[in-house]
Amino acid sequence: MLTDEFGREVTGVRVSLTDRCNFDCVYCHNEGLGDTRGPMDPQDDEMSTDDVVRFLEVAAEFDVDAVKFTGGEPMLRQDLEEIIRRTPDQMEVSLTTNGTFLPGRAEDLVDAGLERVNVSQDALDPEDFAAVTKSGAYEKVLEGVEAALEAGLDPVKLNMVVFEHTAGYVPEMVDHVAENDGLQLQLIEYMPELTGKPEWNIDIERVHDWLAEQADEIEHREMHDRRRYWVSDGSSDANDSGSNAEGRGMIEIVDPVENPTFCANCHRVRVTHEGYLKGCLNRNDDLKTMGEMTKPEIRDAFREVVANRVPYYGEYMVQNDDGEWEINEKYIEEYAGA
């Protein structure tokens, strides 16, 4: 297993299969690359099926045991089932999707080896949903969530980005997952440094505080130092012991912004749809090509990107005397001289 100089083992990879998407979410940062989405048709710059599988085989050599497939919208790839089927057996396979293509494909994805799925759902009202996603696919997303549950994916995590437009929807989303067995809610802190609209930001600690007041149980997760909140729907069954009791919903907050603890617990390397390794979501000055995607080239590039991984907050970004975050010049000098 490869470890960077800060002692962080790389145990997972997040692979973008395309930057194409049938949604146009107002908060999208496209895996930190910016709004580069183009036509809906397959593009020549996307990694081929064999390229993706070859990379995963090399990652498995370094004891990486989990892969999450993302996009854009990864289900625009018609070879997704084949990619999952050919993923090394040791890897847990998960998927982040907007859910619109899950009806009709969820069962085949599970048969291929998919174990977990995150579905983006930012609101429970069609008009509110359309305002955020610039899409009229609300009902199709609901069908996708149901298809995932029927195919045996449990839990199904609903991803909700929390910012000015959606913060008011959090209470009803919490009630929704508490009332529907098999669903969990993942609240994702809005990242203005990647999306460029700081006025949409909210204080995520207020959401933590509100959930703490509602929760029957609070759990700490080692990965990224995350907190999980178990909230009851008020039914008698919800008072039973155990985290999976019926009538209880699990809500987790992903809050990376200005959070050195989050960065200190990051164990993932990203791969862009074009076949570049990316050591940090927030940075694009550390992209590393895997060349023609031969296994020796992939091994060398993987070793190098892990060796150069730096926690974004606390190392790459440091606080000045006024408490403001600014770039640590030593890392800029290193890459400029590379």
Side-chain angles (χ1 to χ4, degrees):
M1 184 171 291
L2 296 181
T3 304
D4 64 30
E5 64 179 61
F6 297 89
R8 300 178 302 170
E9 296 177 336
V10 173
T11 59
V13 290
R14 184 178 176 106
V15 180
S16 173
L17 297 178
T18 181
D19 68 349
R20 296 175 284 135
C21 190
N22 56 324
F23 282 12
D24 192 20
C25 299
V26 297
Y27 55 73
C28 182
H29 56 67
N30 192 26
E31 291 295 302
L33 293 175
D35 191 6
T36 60
R37 287 163 295 176
M40 289 295 96
D41 295 330
Q43 300 297 294
D44 292 338
D45 62 355
E46 294 174 352
M47 286 186 292
S48 70
T49 308
D50 289 342
D51 287 340
V52 175
V53 172
R54 196 177 302 113
F55 165 74
L56 294 175
E57 289 172 347
V58 170
E61 294 175 8
F62 294 112
D63 296 325
V64 170
D65 59 14
V67 56
K68 181 180 287 291
F69 293 115
T70 72
E73 173 46 56
M75 292 192 69
L76 285 170
R77 290 282 297 250
Q78 296 306 305
D79 58 349
L80 178 58
E81 288 84 350
E82 181 183 354
I83 290 172
I84 292 174
R85 188 174 295 109
R86 293 173 59 188
T87 295
D89 291 341
Q90 73 184 60
M91 290 189 179
E92 178 191 61
V93 181
S94 59
L95 176 73
T96 294
T97 173
N98 62 36
T100 55
F101 300 106
L102 281 170
R105 287 181 74 182
E107 190 171 333
D108 287 343
L109 289 168
V110 171
D111 288 345
L114 182 65
E115 298 175 62
R116 294 188 297 108
V117 67
N118 292 53
V119 178
S120 297
Q121 186 177 342
D122 296 292
L124 289 169
D125 175 83
E127 291 185 5
D128 295 335
F129 181 87
V132 174
T133 64
K134 306 301 180 185
S135 162
Y138 177 75
E139 294 296 332
K140 185 61 71 173
V141 172
L142 296 188
E143 290 177 27
V145 171
E146 187 61 30
L149 291 170
E150 290 178 356
L153 292 167
D154 185 8
V156 172
K157 284 191 177 182
L158 303 183
N159 281 3
M160 178 183 185
V161 178
V162 183
F163 63 118
E164 185 181 73
H165 294 56
T166 62
Y169 310 151
V170 170
E172 61 183 346
M173 288 293 287
V174 170
D175 290 341
H176 179 64
V177 298
E179 294 165 359
N180 289 275
D181 193 35
L183 298 183
Q184 296 181 354
L185 180 61
Q186 188 162 258
L187 300 175
I188 301 172
E189 184 179 15
Y190 176 69
M191 303 183 74
E193 67 266 46
L194 294 180
T195 51
K197 290 188 178 290
E199 66 272 18
W200 288 357
N201 196 32
I202 67 163
D203 181 4
I204 200 68
E205 280 304 317
R206 292 175 58 191
V207 183
H208 276 293
D209 293 343
W210 181 82
L211 280 171
E213 292 175 0
Q214 313 302 314
D216 304 313
E217 178 185 350
I218 301 175
E219 183 182 354
H220 180 270
R221 187 181 179 195
E222 182 179 353
M223 187 178 79
H224 292 161
D225 196 35
R226 295 184 190 175
R227 279 170 276 177
R228 284 175 164 175
Y229 301 89
W230 293 90
V231 178
S232 167
D233 69 353
S235 68
S236 58
D237 288 339
N239 296 320
D240 295 342
S241 61
S243 295
N244 295 316
E246 187 176 346
R248 281 163 58 96
M250 193 282 282
I251 300 92
E252 184 174 52
I253 296 183
V254 182
D255 51 356
V257 180
E258 299 187 359
N259 187 346
T261 304
F262 187 98
C263 293
N265 286 278
C266 178
H267 299 281
R268 180 180 285 166
V269 162
R270 296 171 184 261
V271 183
T272 75
H273 69 284
E274 298 172 298
Y276 289 87
L277 289 166
K278 197 173 193 288
C280 176
L281 170 65
N282 296 58
R283 297 174 60 185
N284 288 319
D285 63 351
D286 65 343
L287 292 174
K288 179 67 179 175
T289 181
M290 290 187 278
E292 298 298 318
M293 301 292 295
T294 67
K295 283 194 172 182
E297 288 174 319
I298 296 170
R299 290 186 192 102
D300 289 345
F302 199 77
R303 289 189 183 96
E304 185 173 341
V305 81
V306 172
N308 290 329
R309 288 180 81 235
V310 171
Y312 187 76
Y313 290 109
E315 287 293 336
Y316 185 80
M317 296 288 285
V318 293
Q319 289 180 295
N320 61 25
D321 293 339
D322 296 324
E324 299 170 334
W325 292 96
E326 58 184 25
I327 294 175
N328 185 347
E329 290 299 326
K330 80 172 185 176
Y331 294 111
I332 299 300
E333 292 169 2
E334 285 180 11
Y335 278 95

